[in-house]
C-alpha cells in the first residue's frame, strides 16, 4: 500500500535561514508527487507538483523540491525563509486511479519562523 | 472565479444530530472529493465522485453519505453525528484523476 512519511512534525527556523522539509513515500508505480501548504484556518494551496521529467521542480513562493527515486524522497527546499512561510506543509503522493484517484497525504510538518 | 467554496465554516453538533456540509466548485471539474483532517494524520479521503450521478467510497466512509446531482455540487451528509466525526472537512476538485486537486477553505465540525 502507498504511504507518505514526513519525519519532522515541527521545525523552527530563523527568518532568512534555509529550509528543507523531508518527505519519503512508498508507492508501487511511478508516483505523482505534490507539496501543499496550509496557512492557519485556511484550505490547502498547491506549492508544486512532480509528474515526470526534470527531477528538480520549481514552485510558487520561491519553493523547490527534488524527486529522488533511489531514495523514495521528495524534499521541499527554500533558500531563505520569510516570516510569512510559517504554516503547515503536506506532502502527498498519487492519485491512485484504482482507488478513487485518492491522494495519500503525509502527517504534515508545522513550520515556525523565528524573527 | 471562486474556485471551491464550502459552507458552513464552523458548526457545533450534538450527538445524534444530522447535517449537510455543502461544497460547490465553478471550474467545471468532473472529479470531486471529500477529505477529513485530524491532527497529525494528514487528510483521509471519505468519498469521491468522477462525475454527476457517480460516487464511491474512499478510505473512511462510515457515518457519511454523499450525492452528486450536478457537476458543481457535492454535498456531504452526516446522519447521526458522533464525537469521532469531530474534524476539519475539506472538499476538493480536479479536472481528471491524475491531476492536481484544488481545495476549499474547510468546515470545522465539533460534535459534543
Amino acid at each position: 500500500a502507498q504511504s507518505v512519511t514526513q519525519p519532522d512534525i515541527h521545525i523552527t527556523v530563523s527568518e532568512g535561514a534555509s529550509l528543507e522539509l523531508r518527505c519519503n513515500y512508498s508507492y508501487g508505480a511511478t508516483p505523482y508527487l505534490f507539496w501543499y501548504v496550509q496557512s492557519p484556518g485556511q484550505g490547502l494551496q498547491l506549492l508544486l507538483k512532480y509528474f515526470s521529467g526534470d527531477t528538480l521542480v520549481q514552485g510558487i513562493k520561491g519553493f523547490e523540491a527534488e524527486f529522488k527515486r533511489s531514495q523514495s524522497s521528495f524534499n521541499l527546499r527554500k533558500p531563505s525563509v520569510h516570516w510569512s512561510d510559517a504554516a503547515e506543509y503536506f506532502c502527498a503522493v498519487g492519485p491512485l486511479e484504482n482507488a478513487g484517484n485518492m491522494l495519500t497525504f503525509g502527517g504534515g510538518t508545522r513550520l515556525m519562523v523565528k524573527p | 472565479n471562486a474556485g471551491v467554496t464550502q459552507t458552513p465554516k464552523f458548526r457545533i453538533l450534538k450527538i445524534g444530530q444530522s447535517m449537510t456540509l455543502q461544497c460547490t466548485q465553478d471550474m467545471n471539474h468532473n472529479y470531486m472529493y471529500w477529505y477529513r483532517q485530524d491532527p497529525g494524520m494528514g487528510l483521509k479521503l471519505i468519498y469521491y465522485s468522477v462525475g454527476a450521478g457517480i460516487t464511491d467510497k474512499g478510505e473512511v466512509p462510515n457515518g457519511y453519505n454523499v450525492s452528486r446531482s450536478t457537476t458543481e455540487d457535492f454535498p456531504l451528509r452526516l446522519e447521526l453525528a458522533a464525537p469521532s466525526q469531530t474534524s476539519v472537512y475539506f472538499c476538493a476538485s480536479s479536472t481528471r484523476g491524475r491531476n492536481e486537486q484544488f481545495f476549499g477553505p474547510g468546515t470545522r465540525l465539533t460534535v459534543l
Side-chain angles (χ1 to χ4, degrees), chain B residues 14-111:
Chain B
K14 295 182 179 178
I15 295 172
Q17 286 185 321
S18 62
M19 76 163 294
T20 299
L21 283 66
Q22 301 292 344
C23 174
T24 300
Q25 53 92 9
D26 63 0
M27 297 175 283
N28 201 32
H29 287 171
N30 285 328
Y31 290 76
M32 295 188 74
Y33 316 82
W34 274 105
Y35 292 89
R36 59 176 288 170
Q37 181 184 33
D38 299 304
M41 302 296 291
L43 281 74
K44 303 289 186 185
L45 184 69
I46 305 171
Y47 270 95
Y48 69 98
S49 169
V50 300
I54 306 169
T55 63
D56 208 344
K57 296 177 181 179
E59 194 177 359
V60 289
N62 291 345
Y64 307 94
N65 278 300
V66 293
S67 59
R68 184 96 181 271
S69 56
T70 67
T71 298
E72 294 78 20
D73 301 305
F74 190 40
L76 178 71
R77 178 86 177 159
L78 283 70
E79 291 294 350
L80 291 171
S84 61
Q85 294 177 306
T86 294
S87 189
V88 182
Y89 292 85
F90 289 99
C91 180
S93 70
S94 67
T95 53
R96 62 181 188 275
R98 300 209 86 189
N99 211 340
E100 65 189 88
Q101 295 179 16
F102 294 84
F103 285 81
T107 294
R108 184 174 296 275
L109 175 66
T110 302
V111 182

